Amino acid sequence: MSALLMLFVCLSLGALVRRFANPPAGIVAGINWWVIYIALPALVLELIPRVKFDGQLWFPVAAMGVVFAGAWLLFGLLGPWLGWSRERIGGLILVCGLGNTSFMGYPLMEAMHGKEGLGLAVVADQLGCFPLLASAGIVVASLYAGRQAQPAQIVRRSLSFPAFIALLIGMAAAALGGWSPLLDSVFAPIGASLTPLALFSVGLQFKLHADQRMAAAASLGLGWKLLLAPLLCWLIGRAAGVGGLTLTVGVLQAAMAPMISAAILADEYGLEPELANTVLGVGIVLSLLTVPLGNLWLRA
């Protein structure tokens, strides 16, 4: 409960600072730079050598692919039937196919399942969700915006991402027996800064639009992202014989709120950014309830 309370406090502080404290320009970019380029790689370097690689570890990664592919199939078929524009379809595929598996997923998994759960969350994010954003996400954005995706840009963006490089180094360290206690004592406190700063940043960026014209599309999108997608992943995991914490973390990462970077990508490509930000804001609020409830259901 204390860990969950910290999540709410950090998120609320960000929202309150944005509303009342007139924070300096560029504060979000500065915080996000530290989180992405320093704290996240340090956390990956700390945790990956501790992850037990077994025959079920494919599931958290595959679950991220199920969420994205399902969103593409669902809204790609449903959108034209409902008369949606290509921009609306593309925007919903992005924000409802990619989850906030790092900024929200890491803190929530650590609060509910400790370091072991956090390690599995890193696997789902770095081997599942991030590669999808950098590859299929750009393809979808380009396709529905009428642009052409550049394969070289996709490869460069994936291979140069700091946390991905840290992932490869961490896997090499694991094969060699892990880090020395001295290096662990460096990585751990730097990585620990990710949780409060990431949630504070989410609070600073939080926006909620109440537009009746978007209500139906937002409801369908969030119905998929927060309920149907994790349920489908749970069914697939159970059918494949996946169990324990691996199943739980995979399903809960599938149930995370929409990804902030996906909404930014939708904005960059002109894919109805107002709808994307509405789904993002409502999804963050709802996921703070649905993810813990989903965790209780999975334990039961």
Side-chain angles (χ1 to χ4, degrees):
M1 288 300 296
S2 61
L4 286 173
L5 178 61
M6 186 197 70
L7 304 186
F8 283 103
V9 168
C10 292
L11 191 64
S12 301
L13 277 174
L16 289 171
V17 166
R18 178 180 180 273
R19 178 67 178 84
F20 298 109
N22 191 27
I27 185 174
V28 170
I31 292 173
N32 288 352
W33 187 93
W34 171 268
V35 168
I36 292 171
Y37 287 93
I38 306 295
L40 181 54
L43 184 66
V44 171
L45 287 170
E46 179 201 358
L47 293 177
I48 286 300
R50 302 179 184 180
V51 174
K52 296 178 180 178
F53 288 86
D54 56 37
Q56 295 189 349
L57 206 57
W58 62 269
F59 174 71
V61 177
M64 303 300 99
V66 169
V67 176
F68 188 84
W72 196 346
L73 179 64
L74 176 63
F75 299 121
L77 294 175
L78 190 63
W81 183 67
L82 292 174
W84 291 350
S85 66
R86 289 180 61 81
E87 291 78 10
R88 170 166 289 193
I89 295 170
L92 276 181
I93 292 171
L94 288 177
V95 293
C96 299
L98 295 164
N100 203 330
T101 51
S102 54
F103 276 41
M104 298 290 291
Y106 291 177
L108 282 170
M109 289 304 104
E110 185 176 20
M112 294 185 291
H113 296 289
K115 287 289 185 180
E116 188 179 359
L118 179 57
L120 292 170
V122 169
V123 172
D125 177 59
Q126 291 301 307
L127 293 179
C129 209
F130 169 72
L132 281 170
L133 170 68
S135 56
I138 293 178
V139 170
V140 165
S142 301
L143 179 66
Y144 283 91
R147 304 186 196 177
Q148 186 174 1
Q150 302 294 328
Q153 178 190 6
I154 293 172
V155 173
R156 184 170 61 252
R157 186 170 182 174
S158 300
L159 296 181
S160 63
F161 190 62
F164 182 74
I165 296 171
L167 177 68
L168 298 179
I169 296 173
M171 292 173 69
L176 296 173
W179 302 113
S180 68
L182 178 62
L183 284 175
D184 257 340
S185 69
V186 174
F187 295 143
I190 297 176
S193 67
L194 182 142
T195 293
L197 287 177
L199 286 167
F200 183 72
S201 174
V202 170
L204 283 171
Q205 298 173 78
F206 181 76
K207 294 179 181 178
L208 188 61
H209 299 280
D211 193 329
Q212 292 292 333
R213 298 171 300 169
M214 301 177 185
S219 298
L220 287 171
L222 290 171
W224 165 255
K225 184 68 193 74
L226 302 181
L227 297 174
L228 295 179
L231 179 59
L232 178 60
C233 290
W234 177 78
L235 291 171
I236 292 172
R238 289 298 299 268
V242 180
L245 189 58
T246 304
L247 176 68
T248 298
V249 171
V251 171
L252 293 179
Q253 282 287 65
M256 283 299 154
M259 181 191 283
I260 294 174
S261 298
I264 293 172
L265 190 63
D267 193 1
E268 180 183 342
Y269 280 76
L271 300 176
E272 201 163 340
E274 190 175 358
L275 173 62
N277 283 298
T278 296
V279 173
L280 174 66
V282 175
I284 287 173
V285 173
L286 291 179
S287 69
L288 291 172
L289 176 64
T290 57
V291 171
L293 287 177
N295 183 58
L296 291 174
W297 176 72
L298 287 167
R299 284 186 166 185

